[in-house]
Amino acid sequence: MTDKTKVASSEEITTLLTHSAYNPAIVPQLESYVRSSVTSLSSTSSSSESTPYHFDANRTLVKLYQFFPHLAGDGGVVSLVLFLALLEFPSMDYVALTCLVGEKVRGREPCLTLARCAELLESCQFSEFWPTFRQLLLLSTDKAGSPSSEYDILKQAVSSPAAVLKLRKSIASILALSYRTAPLKIVLGALDLDNVDALKNLVQSEDYFKGVIGSVDSSSVLFVASGDNTKRSRVFKEGVHFDAIASLISSSAAVHVE
């Protein structure tokens, strides 16, 4: 079913929450905002305005679904909310929102795959994350159990360059938080890149990576020095797994990736 509700601006949503946070009448506006947030990720039009991520709005929507379960339908919008939260890694948004989602919705696709993606990110199993993330593209609409319009929106966003770039920035921030130097193969796998040229192109084309990655050669990646990755002069060594740095995610959750 096509949503004809006019999409409110972020400021309008904030005002709405201030005055009517527990009013079920605002659900259509919040749902429309969520859909627009996800759709804007896959927009190819340079004139299209993006819809900023709004954690408070999404949390309010999920809470309203708790209070008024009949408004949640079969969970299609919830999967979009969780997808947006996943993209905010390493923040704790996904954890904060998923605990508000009912077991029935969490127990079916695409929420099951989103949960697995979150687990892999939180445990720093980045090379394993990407194949799981792409499985969201392979789920049939019937298996997903979500309205086709919402699942189509999700699939388009999963394959969008904007979503992939946002995740790569987040993962790179975690690697740079812990290591000054890491093997090229490990970094390529973590960022889902095919070769050294792809990584160099990413660094050259995106200012964010210039501030994180100092240099790249045929065998290793040197991250920009910081108070975190130079305290103990740590260098990546074979046998040191990414789960060893998983505990650092909470300390970086407050770092906003531009």
Side-chain angles (χ1 to χ4, degrees), residues 59-69 72 99-102:
R59 180 178 57 184
T60 297
L61 177 59
V62 177
K63 284 185 176 180
L64 285 170
Y65 285 157
Q66 279 188 316
F67 300 147
F68 308 97
C99 68
L100 301 175
V101 177

Side-chain angles (χ1 to χ4, degrees), residues 112-179:
L112 281 173
T113 299
L114 287 169
R116 178 57 179 156
C117 287
E119 291 172 359
L120 291 170
L121 286 177
E122 290 165 9
S123 60
C124 297
Q125 299 179 63
F126 301 132
S127 60
E128 291 85 356
F129 161 78
W130 291 103
T132 304
F133 184 67
R134 286 191 289 269
Q135 286 178 15
L136 291 166
L137 298 170
L138 305 178
L139 298 173
S140 67
T141 301
D142 291 340
K143 186 175 181 181
S146 301
S148 59
S149 61
E150 284 151 1
Y151 191 53
D152 286 343
I153 290 172
L154 177 62
K155 289 197 293 184
Q156 291 171 12
V158 167
S159 60
S160 69
V164 172
L165 179 61
K166 190 171 180 62
L167 287 164
R168 282 174 173 160
K169 287 180 178 180
S170 299
I171 291 171
S173 73
I174 296 300
L175 298 180
L177 184 67
S178 184
Y179 297 109

Side-chain angles (χ1 to χ4, degrees), residues 68-118:
F68 308 97
H70 65 284
L71 297 178
D74 48 13
V77 177
V78 171
S79 67
L80 300 183
V81 168
L82 294 180
F83 173 75
L84 290 171
L86 184 76
L87 296 186
E88 293 303 305
F89 173 81
S91 81
M92 300 302 291
D93 288 12
Y94 184 90
V95 174
L97 290 172
T98 195
C99 68
L100 301 175
V101 177
E103 184 177 353
K104 182 178 180 181
V105 175
R106 285 188 285 110
R108 64 177 177 232
E109 297 292 0
C111 291
L112 281 173
T113 299
L114 287 169
R116 178 57 179 156
C117 287

Side-chain angles (χ1 to χ4, degrees), residues 8 33 51 58 84 92 100 103 116 119 124 128 130 144 155 162 180 186 222 228 231 234 238 249:
Y33 191 88
T51 304
N58 296 350
L84 290 171
M92 300 302 291
L100 301 175
E103 184 177 353
R116 178 57 179 156
E119 291 172 359
C124 297
E128 291 85 356
W130 291 103
K155 289 197 293 184
R180 275 285 278 147
I186 296 296
L222 177 68
D228 292 296
K231 285 187 293 188
R234 296 180 63 188
E238 289 296 332
I249 292 179

Side-chain angles (χ1 to χ4, degrees), residues 178-183 229 232-238 240:
S178 184
Y179 297 109
R180 275 285 278 147
T181 304
N229 65 20
R232 293 179 296 278
S233 299
R234 296 180 63 188
V235 176
F236 188 99
K237 297 179 181 179
E238 289 296 332
V240 178

